[in-house]
Amino acid sequence: MRTRLPERLAVLAFGFFGLASCQQPSENSLEPAEFKSQLEAQVDASLLDVRTPEEFKTGHIAGASNVDWNSNDFENQVARLDRNKKVFVYCLSGPRSRSAAAKLRKMGFLEVVELRGGMMSWRAHSLPEEGTGSGGGTAPEAFNRITSSELPVLIDFYAEWCAPCQKMKPDLERLEKEAGGRYRVVRVDADASRALCAQLGVEALPELRIYVAGDEVWSHKGYLGYTDMKKALTSAEEGKI
């Protein structure tokens, strides 16, 4: 079914909670509303944002401590926490917090709770956050202009830290070079375009979508190779999807 961006926002804010196969929920992960409710009920719990300091500055949950999962001293920093108290942990979309939570459990923390879908899901639910906001990126208005083309437009929602996103980048660049005016390939930085991603319900990376004349005609969550992306674009060109 083809629907335009303005008509889809209310549905998308709550409708895309199925994550890519590589991002399945772990043993103790909660949807944003329940995560928020339990966090507020645990006044002595720890709240860890395991993203980079740069990501943390653009917006985070109030009261969170920033401990970068990819830093060399992650274990030393969390070792200072009380292992008997509940720990809440989140990242942008889930993979890093899942790894961090597994590490915390291995270290002996008795109860670790993850935010399912991370900050992308939190924002899709319009829940409050603190921070300076992210400059740049793709605004919803610009996105509407980009996707209003009569030619198929392949949108790649990505992040620099996302390994599958980086693996797909050469294939996307190849597709762009081969376009020959038949279609467009546009990459959208999810970190910088958080308002847009919240409106569209983008909660897991990478995510691909194809638009024709403002209508979404195809989507895929998770890694996808060149051949399958090309096949989807060809189908869109021929009006078969």
Side-chain angles (χ1 to χ4, degrees), residues 13-26:
F14 297 96
F16 283 93
F17 299 124
L19 302 182
S21 59
C22 62
Q23 296 178 338
Q24 294 300 314
S26 65

Side-chain angles (χ1 to χ4, degrees), residues 58-239:
T58 66
H60 55 267
I61 300 173
S65 298
N66 183 210
V67 185
D68 186 353
W69 165 245
N70 291 316
S71 67
N72 294 327
D73 62 343
F74 175 85
E75 187 170 347
N76 289 333
Q77 291 189 60
V78 298
R80 304 167 188 166
L81 302 176
D82 188 340
R83 287 170 170 75
N84 296 311
K85 292 182 179 179
K86 203 167 187 175
V87 179
F88 293 82
V89 59
Y90 69 91
C91 62
L92 182 64
S93 64
R96 285 176 288 179
S97 61
R98 186 166 59 251
S99 297
K103 180 66 174 179
L104 290 167
R105 294 179 185 116
K106 189 175 181 180
M107 291 174 64
F109 285 84
L110 297 182
E111 190 169 7
V112 183
V113 180
E114 302 164 51
L115 172 58
R116 189 175 301 171
M119 283 301 292
M120 296 182 75
S121 182
W122 185 270
R123 289 163 178 162
H125 284 76
S126 301
L127 294 173
E129 60 182 292
E130 296 179 340
T132 59
S134 179
T138 303
E141 297 79 10
F143 184 84
N144 276 333
R145 289 194 297 271
I146 291 168
T147 56
S148 65
S149 169
E150 294 296 327
L151 298 174
V153 182
L154 174 62
I155 303 292
D156 168 41
F157 294 96
Y158 78 98
E160 293 298 334
W161 52 262
C162 170
C165 299
Q166 297 309 311
K167 184 178 180 181
M168 287 167 54
K169 184 177 179 181
D171 288 338
L172 289 159
E173 291 174 342
R174 178 183 172 186
L175 286 168
E176 189 173 15
K177 290 178 181 177
E178 295 174 351
R182 303 190 314 276
Y183 57 82
R184 289 187 64 191
V185 176
V186 177
R187 301 188 79 217
V188 174
D189 185 335
D191 282 335
S193 309
R194 70 188 201 189
L196 174 65
C197 289
Q199 287 183 346
L200 291 173
V202 178
E203 299 183 8
L205 300 176
E207 180 166 337
L208 297 167
R209 299 186 186 186
I210 294 178
Y211 289 81
V212 178
D215 298 333
E216 182 190 315
V217 299
W218 175 88
S219 66
H220 177 83
K221 293 179 174 66
Y223 174 81
L224 196 67
Y226 168 85
T227 301
D228 289 326
M229 286 190 282
K230 181 70 172 180
K231 186 183 299 182
L233 278 168
T234 300
S235 295
E237 289 179 68
E238 297 173 352

